[in-house]
Amino acid sequence: SQTIHQWPATLVQPVGSPLSLECTVEGTSNPNLYWYRQAAGRGLQLLFYSVGIGQISSEVPQNLSASRPQDRQFILSSKKLLLSDSGFYLCAWSPGHGSYEQYFGPGTRLTVT
Amino acid sequence: GDSVTQMEGPVTLSEEAFLTINCTYTATGYPSLFWYVQYPGEGLQLLLKATKADDKGSNKGFEATYRKETTSFHLEKGSVQVSDSAVYFCALDNNNDMRFGAGTRLTVKP
């Protein structure tokens, strides 16, 4: 069966510090991968998605970036965090190839102080 | 573009009450429809789905029917439990373009 991991589970970082959040998927190959942000009490905002290694699409302009160095690894980064980057970050995967339901990881709670 | 609109919460019910959370969508073509549930501090879990008109998705006592004529996918449960307290998201996927509703918080009181 497929599983999706995210780490860390929680993170407190000062403004201006760098960020690296990691997401890995097991039990499948060539998945579509997604990064979402969920602000407190709000819905989901799609940040990035990837259909393959090195292929990243950005949905909104921001100071975040994403990379996919391996087939089942998706990394969310920032060089300098802003207060507004605080939120709950969710990674998700979908099988692709006509099947697009998404399966979510447990999330990372980021607080920028 | 495609969009999903779901009823605003919060919704508060007593245990064993009947639940309806309304969801309507706007989309071109033939999207797939989903309900996700998010328990406190966790990621979203796929609750049920329907991929074509008149399909009924069901899971854990929850049901939703894909109604193309009314562009709706309302979530229902006949008898809610305290453990159903969570945020529920309606979503559609149209050729790998997933759109989520804003979420509806459900609180079930004993």
Side-chain angles (χ1 to χ4, degrees):
Chain A
S1 64
Q2 300 86 9
T3 56
I4 178 169
H5 304 279
Q6 285 186 247
W7 64 90
T10 61
L11 191 59
V12 180
Q13 292 283 98
V15 167
S17 63
L19 173 74
S20 181
L21 303 181
E22 190 164 343
C23 170
T24 59
V25 181
E26 296 177 356
T28 187
S29 60
N30 198 28
N32 293 339
L33 297 172
Y34 309 84
W35 278 112
Y36 290 89
R37 176 169 56 206
Q38 187 178 29
R42 307 280 296 275
L44 295 164
Q45 179 186 34
L46 178 64
L47 301 175
F48 301 95
Y49 71 92
S50 171
V51 298
I53 295 175
Q55 301 178 60
I56 309 294
S57 296
S58 174
E59 288 295 299
V60 293
Q62 58 208 318
N63 71 323
L64 299 171
S65 62
S67 61
R68 185 170 178 175
Q70 300 180 46
D71 181 44
R72 291 169 289 173
Q73 184 184 31
F74 205 25
I75 297 172
L76 183 69
S77 304
S78 174
K79 293 181 179 178
K80 289 186 177 181
L81 284 169
L82 306 172
L83 284 174
S84 58
D85 291 324
S86 293
F88 193 47
Y89 288 82
L90 290 161
C91 182
W93 73 275
S94 69
H97 307 293
S99 178
Y100 296 114
E101 66 245 37
Q102 294 183 15
Y103 301 92
F104 286 79
T108 296
R109 172 79 55 196
L110 172 66
T111 303
V112 182
T113 60
Chain B
D2 296 352
S3 65
V4 176
T5 302
Q6 60 183 107
M7 65 186 285
E8 291 188 19
V11 174
T12 303
L13 295 173
S14 297
E15 207 165 21
E16 299 184 2
F18 185 87
L19 168 71
T20 300
I21 300 178
N22 290 339
C23 171
T24 57
Y25 68 90
T26 302
T28 57
Y30 305 95
S32 295
L33 302 175
F34 307 91
W35 276 101
Y36 284 85
V37 58
Q38 184 179 31
Y39 299 102
E42 299 183 8
L44 277 69
Q45 299 176 26
L46 179 62
L47 181 60
L48 53 84
K49 68 177 182 179
T51 57
K52 61 182 187 298
D54 300 325
D55 269 3
K56 178 186 283 187
S58 61
N59 186 24
K60 299 180 181 179
F62 291 90
E63 293 184 340
T65 301
Y66 189 162
R67 301 285 189 201
K68 192 165 179 64
E69 64 275 15
T70 55
T71 62
S72 65
F73 193 54
H74 305 321
L75 182 68
E76 296 181 337
K77 187 175 185 181
S79 176
V80 294
Q81 306 300 313
V82 172
S83 56
D84 294 326
S85 297
V87 180
Y88 292 81
F89 291 91
C90 185
L92 71 82
D93 177 85
N94 203 351
N95 199 24
N96 197 25
D97 183 9
M98 181 77 89
R99 304 294 173 110
F100 288 87
T104 302
R105 181 175 300 278
L106 169 67
T107 300
V108 180
K109 297 189 173 181

